[in-house]
PDB file of all heavy atoms in Angstrom:
ATOM      1  N   LEU A 292      36.172 -75.952 136.383  1.00  0.00           N
ATOM      2  CA  LEU A 292      34.809 -76.473 136.238  1.00  0.00           C
ATOM      3  C   LEU A 292      34.733 -77.576 135.194  1.00  0.00           C
ATOM      4  O   LEU A 292      35.584 -77.608 134.284  1.00  0.00           O
ATOM      5  CB  LEU A 292      33.862 -75.331 135.825  1.00  0.00           C
ATOM      6  CG  LEU A 292      33.692 -74.158 136.772  1.00  0.00           C
ATOM      7  CD1 LEU A 292      32.992 -73.000 136.065  1.00  0.00           C
ATOM      8  CD2 LEU A 292      32.900 -74.584 138.002  1.00  0.00           C
ATOM      9  N   PRO A 293      33.755 -78.437 135.251  1.00  0.00           N
ATOM     10  CA  PRO A 293      33.494 -79.347 134.117  1.00  0.00           C
ATOM     11  C   PRO A 293      33.167 -78.514 132.882  1.00  0.00           C
ATOM     12  O   PRO A 293      32.695 -77.382 132.978  1.00  0.00           O
ATOM     13  CB  PRO A 293      32.298 -80.167 134.584  1.00  0.00           C
ATOM     14  CG  PRO A 293      32.288 -80.041 136.065  1.00  0.00           C
ATOM     15  CD  PRO A 293      32.819 -78.682 136.379  1.00  0.00           C
ATOM     16  N   VAL A 294      33.410 -79.087 131.710  1.00  0.00           N
ATOM     17  CA  VAL A 294      33.213 -78.361 130.466  1.00  0.00           C
ATOM     18  C   VAL A 294      31.776 -77.810 130.364  1.00  0.00           C
ATOM     19  O   VAL A 294      31.571 -76.656 129.989  1.00  0.00           O
ATOM     20  CB  VAL A 294      33.529 -79.264 129.270  1.00  0.00           C
ATOM     21  CG1 VAL A 294      33.118 -78.603 127.956  1.00  0.00           C
ATOM     22  CG2 VAL A 294      35.024 -79.586 129.212  1.00  0.00           C
ATOM     23  N   ASP A 295      30.789 -78.637 130.704  1.00  0.00           N
ATOM     24  CA  ASP A 295      29.399 -78.173 130.566  1.00  0.00           C
ATOM     25  C   ASP A 295      29.096 -77.031 131.525  1.00  0.00           C
ATOM     26  O   ASP A 295      28.379 -76.076 131.165  1.00  0.00           O
ATOM     27  CB  ASP A 295      28.420 -79.321 130.730  1.00  0.00           C
ATOM     28  CG  ASP A 295      28.541 -80.014 132.093  1.00  0.00           C
ATOM     29  OD1 ASP A 295      29.563 -79.864 132.779  1.00  0.00           O
ATOM     30  OD2 ASP A 295      27.587 -80.733 132.470  1.00  0.00           O
ATOM     31  N   LYS A 296      29.634 -77.094 132.742  1.00  0.00           N
ATOM     32  CA  LYS A 296      29.397 -76.014 133.715  1.00  0.00           C
ATOM     33  C   LYS A 296      30.102 -74.714 133.296  1.00  0.00           C
ATOM     34  O   LYS A 296      29.580 -73.625 133.510  1.00  0.00           O
ATOM     35  CB  LYS A 296      29.839 -76.461 135.099  1.00  0.00           C
ATOM     36  CG  LYS A 296      29.047 -77.624 135.662  1.00  0.00           C
ATOM     37  CD  LYS A 296      27.555 -77.291 135.761  1.00  0.00           C
ATOM     38  CE  LYS A 296      26.787 -78.469 136.379  1.00  0.00           C
ATOM     39  NZ  LYS A 296      25.308 -78.200 136.391  1.00  0.00           N
ATOM     40  N   TYR A 297      31.297 -74.856 132.717  1.00  0.00           N
ATOM     41  CA  TYR A 297      31.996 -73.656 132.246  1.00  0.00           C
ATOM     42  C   TYR A 297      31.233 -73.038 131.079  1.00  0.00           C
ATOM     43  O   TYR A 297      31.110 -71.813 130.992  1.00  0.00           O
ATOM     44  CB  TYR A 297      33.418 -74.023 131.823  1.00  0.00           C
ATOM     45  CG  TYR A 297      34.253 -72.826 131.394  1.00  0.00           C
ATOM     46  CD1 TYR A 297      34.196 -71.630 132.077  1.00  0.00           C
ATOM     47  CD2 TYR A 297      35.118 -72.927 130.294  1.00  0.00           C
ATOM     48  CE1 TYR A 297      34.953 -70.535 131.686  1.00  0.00           C
ATOM     49  CE2 TYR A 297      35.884 -71.849 129.896  1.00  0.00           C
ATOM     50  CZ  TYR A 297      35.802 -70.657 130.590  1.00  0.00           C
ATOM     51  OH  TYR A 297      36.559 -69.596 130.177  1.00  0.00           O
ATOM     52  N   THR A 298      30.682 -73.867 130.218  1.00  0.00           N
ATOM     53  CA  THR A 298      29.851 -73.341 129.122  1.00  0.00           C
ATOM     54  C   THR A 298      28.674 -72.548 129.688  1.00  0.00           C
ATOM     55  O   THR A 298      28.372 -71.444 129.227  1.00  0.00           O
ATOM     56  CB  THR A 298      29.338 -74.489 128.253  1.00  0.00           C
ATOM     57  OG1 THR A 298      30.421 -75.257 127.752  1.00  0.00           O
ATOM     58  CG2 THR A 298      28.516 -73.951 127.070  1.00  0.00           C
ATOM     59  N   GLU A 299      28.010 -73.104 130.701  1.00  0.00           N
ATOM     60  CA  GLU A 299      26.884 -72.423 131.310  1.00  0.00           C
ATOM     61  C   GLU A 299      27.308 -71.098 131.931  1.00  0.00           C
ATOM     62  O   GLU A 299      26.579 -70.091 131.839  1.00  0.00           O
ATOM     63  CB  GLU A 299      26.247 -73.317 132.389  1.00  0.00           C
ATOM     64  CG  GLU A 299      25.552 -74.555 131.814  1.00  0.00           C
ATOM     65  CD  GLU A 299      25.083 -75.501 132.904  1.00  0.00           C
ATOM     66  OE1 GLU A 299      25.213 -75.139 134.103  1.00  0.00           O
ATOM     67  OE2 GLU A 299      24.599 -76.604 132.566  1.00  0.00           O
ATOM     68  N   LEU A 300      28.464 -71.070 132.581  1.00  0.00           N
ATOM     69  CA  LEU A 300      28.947 -69.842 133.187  1.00  0.00           C
ATOM     70  C   LEU A 300      29.180 -68.769 132.122  1.00  0.00           C
ATOM     71  O   LEU A 300      28.816 -67.603 132.300  1.00  0.00           O
ATOM     72  CB  LEU A 300      30.251 -70.110 133.954  1.00  0.00           C
ATOM     73  CG  LEU A 300      30.859 -68.964 134.741  1.00  0.00           C
ATOM     74  CD1 LEU A 300      31.594 -69.478 135.972  1.00  0.00           C
ATOM     75  CD2 LEU A 300      31.840 -68.161 133.879  1.00  0.00           C
ATOM     76  N   LEU A 301      29.783 -69.166 130.998  1.00  0.00           N
ATOM     77  CA  LEU A 301      30.038 -68.200 129.914  1.00  0.00           C
ATOM     78  C   LEU A 301      28.743 -67.664 129.337  1.00  0.00           C
ATOM     79  O   LEU A 301      28.610 -66.465 129.074  1.00  0.00           O
ATOM     80  CB  LEU A 301      30.884 -68.869 128.823  1.00  0.00           C
ATOM     81  CG  LEU A 301      32.335 -69.188 129.199  1.00  0.00           C
ATOM     82  CD1 LEU A 301      32.978 -70.059 128.106  1.00  0.00           C
ATOM     83  CD2 LEU A 301      33.150 -67.914 129.404  1.00  0.00           C
ATOM     84  N   VAL A 302      27.773 -68.544 129.152  1.00  0.00           N
ATOM     85  CA  VAL A 302      26.479 -68.110 128.621  1.00  0.00           C
ATOM     86  C   VAL A 302      25.819 -67.134 129.599  1.00  0.00           C
ATOM     87  O   VAL A 302      25.280 -66.108 129.185  1.00  0.00           O
ATOM     88  CB  VAL A 302      25.575 -69.322 128.350  1.00  0.00           C
ATOM     89  CG1 VAL A 302      24.139 -68.861 128.037  1.00  0.00           C
ATOM     90  CG2 VAL A 302      26.144 -70.166 127.208  1.00  0.00           C
ATOM     91  N   ALA A 303      25.894 -67.443 130.886  1.00  0.00           N
ATOM     92  CA  ALA A 303      25.319 -66.544 131.894  1.00  0.00           C
ATOM     93  C   ALA A 303      25.998 -65.183 131.896  1.00  0.00           C
ATOM     94  O   ALA A 303      25.392 -64.180 132.245  1.00  0.00           O
ATOM     95  CB  ALA A 303      25.432 -67.196 133.275  1.00  0.00           C
ATOM     96  N   ALA A 304      27.255 -65.155 131.479  1.00  0.00           N
ATOM     97  CA  ALA A 304      28.008 -63.907 131.421  1.00  0.00           C
ATOM     98  C   ALA A 304      27.758 -63.136 130.125  1.00  0.00           C
ATOM     99  O   ALA A 304      28.316 -62.069 129.915  1.00  0.00           O
ATOM    100  CB  ALA A 304      29.484 -64.184 131.576  1.00  0.00           C
ATOM    101  N   GLY A 305      26.904 -63.709 129.245  1.00  0.00           N
ATOM    102  CA  GLY A 305      26.558 -63.003 128.036  1.00  0.00           C
ATOM    103  C   GLY A 305      27.219 -63.482 126.756  1.00  0.00           C
ATOM    104  O   GLY A 305      27.024 -62.911 125.691  1.00  0.00           O
ATOM    105  N   VAL A 306      28.024 -64.565 126.846  1.00  0.00           N
ATOM    106  CA  VAL A 306      28.669 -65.113 125.664  1.00  0.00           C
ATOM    107  C   VAL A 306      27.642 -65.934 124.893  1.00  0.00           C
ATOM    108  O   VAL A 306      26.944 -66.755 125.478  1.00  0.00           O
ATOM    109  CB  VAL A 306      29.882 -65.988 126.070  1.00  0.00           C
ATOM    110  CG1 VAL A 306      30.536 -66.598 124.811  1.00  0.00           C
ATOM    111  CG2 VAL A 306      30.891 -65.179 126.862  1.00  0.00           C
ATOM    112  N   PRO A 307      27.535 -65.744 123.566  1.00  0.00           N
ATOM    113  CA  PRO A 307      26.587 -66.568 122.786  1.00  0.00           C
ATOM    114  C   PRO A 307      26.864 -68.049 122.982  1.00  0.00           C
ATOM    115  O   PRO A 307      28.035 -68.467 123.084  1.00  0.00           O
ATOM    116  CB  PRO A 307      26.891 -66.131 121.357  1.00  0.00           C
ATOM    117  CG  PRO A 307      27.405 -64.741 121.472  1.00  0.00           C
ATOM    118  CD  PRO A 307      28.211 -64.726 122.746  1.00  0.00           C
ATOM    119  N   GLU A 308      25.806 -68.841 123.024  1.00  0.00           N
ATOM    120  CA  GLU A 308      25.928 -70.240 123.413  1.00  0.00           C
ATOM    121  C   GLU A 308      26.913 -71.036 122.549  1.00  0.00           C
ATOM    122  O   GLU A 308      27.721 -71.802 123.047  1.00  0.00           O
ATOM    123  CB  GLU A 308      24.565 -70.917 123.415  1.00  0.00           C
ATOM    124  CG  GLU A 308      24.588 -72.330 123.953  1.00  0.00           C
ATOM    125  CD  GLU A 308      23.201 -72.915 124.152  1.00  0.00           C
ATOM    126  OE1 GLU A 308      22.211 -72.170 123.922  1.00  0.00           O
ATOM    127  OE2 GLU A 308      23.102 -74.089 124.535  1.00  0.00           O
ATOM    128  N   GLY A 309      26.832 -70.841 121.241  1.00  0.00           N
ATOM    129  CA  GLY A 309      27.716 -71.579 120.355  1.00  0.00           C
ATOM    130  C   GLY A 309      29.184 -71.249 120.600  1.00  0.00           C
ATOM    131  O   GLY A 309      30.042 -72.126 120.627  1.00  0.00           O
ATOM    132  N   TYR A 310      29.461 -69.948 120.780  1.00  0.00           N
ATOM    133  CA  TYR A 310      30.835 -69.519 121.018  1.00  0.00           C
ATOM    134  C   TYR A 310      31.299 -69.974 122.385  1.00  0.00           C
ATOM    135  O   TYR A 310      32.450 -70.377 122.569  1.00  0.00           O
ATOM    136  CB  TYR A 310      30.933 -68.008 120.889  1.00  0.00           C
ATOM    137  CG  TYR A 310      32.347 -67.486 120.914  1.00  0.00           C
ATOM    138  CD1 TYR A 310      33.345 -68.033 120.111  1.00  0.00           C
ATOM    139  CD2 TYR A 310      32.708 -66.441 121.758  1.00  0.00           C
ATOM    140  CE1 TYR A 310      34.655 -67.563 120.147  1.00  0.00           C
ATOM    141  CE2 TYR A 310      33.996 -65.940 121.810  1.00  0.00           C
ATOM    142  CZ  TYR A 310      34.966 -66.505 120.984  1.00  0.00           C
ATOM    143  OH  TYR A 310      36.261 -66.035 121.034  1.00  0.00           O
ATOM    144  N   ALA A 311      30.401 -69.930 123.360  1.00  0.00           N
ATOM    145  CA  ALA A 311      30.754 -70.398 124.710  1.00  0.00           C
ATOM    146  C   ALA A 311      31.153 -71.872 124.660  1.00  0.00           C
ATOM    147  O   ALA A 311      32.125 -72.271 125.325  1.00  0.00           O
ATOM    148  CB  ALA A 311      29.571 -70.195 125.644  1.00  0.00           C
ATOM    149  N   ALA A 312      30.446 -72.674 123.892  1.00  0.00           N
ATOM    150  CA  ALA A 312      30.782 -74.097 123.780  1.00  0.00           C
ATOM    151  C   ALA A 312      32.161 -74.278 123.144  1.00  0.00           C
ATOM    152  O   ALA A 312      32.915 -75.169 123.562  1.00  0.00           O
ATOM    153  CB  ALA A 312      29.704 -74.808 122.958  1.00  0.00           C
ATOM    154  N   LEU A 313      32.496 -73.455 122.160  1.00  0.00           N
ATOM    155  CA  LEU A 313      33.813 -73.547 121.534  1.00  0.00           C
ATOM    156  C   LEU A 313      34.925 -73.189 122.529  1.00  0.00           C
ATOM    157  O   LEU A 313      35.964 -73.844 122.572  1.00  0.00           O
ATOM    158  CB  LEU A 313      33.898 -72.616 120.329  1.00  0.00           C
ATOM    159  CG  LEU A 313      33.143 -73.039 119.077  1.00  0.00           C
ATOM    160  CD1 LEU A 313      33.205 -71.933 118.022  1.00  0.00           C
ATOM    161  CD2 LEU A 313      33.712 -74.338 118.511  1.00  0.00           C
ATOM    162  N   LEU A 314      34.698 -72.138 123.333  1.00  0.00           N
ATOM    163  CA  LEU A 314      35.691 -71.736 124.321  1.00  0.00           C
ATOM    164  C   LEU A 314      35.886 -72.809 125.384  1.00  0.00           C
ATOM    165  O   LEU A 314      37.023 -73.120 125.767  1.00  0.00           O
ATOM    166  CB  LEU A 314      35.266 -70.421 124.983  1.00  0.00           C
ATOM    167  CG  LEU A 314      35.265 -69.179 124.075  1.00  0.00           C
ATOM    168  CD1 LEU A 314      34.734 -67.974 124.846  1.00  0.00           C
ATOM    169  CD2 LEU A 314      36.675 -68.882 123.539  1.00  0.00           C
TER     170      LEU A 314
END
Side-chain angles (χ1 to χ4, degrees):
L292 297 167
V294 171
D295 59 342
K296 296 301 182 184
Y297 183 41
T298 303
E299 292 173 6
L300 184 149
L301 291 170
V302 171
V306 179
E308 186 171 356
Y310 188 50
L313 287 174
L314 293 176

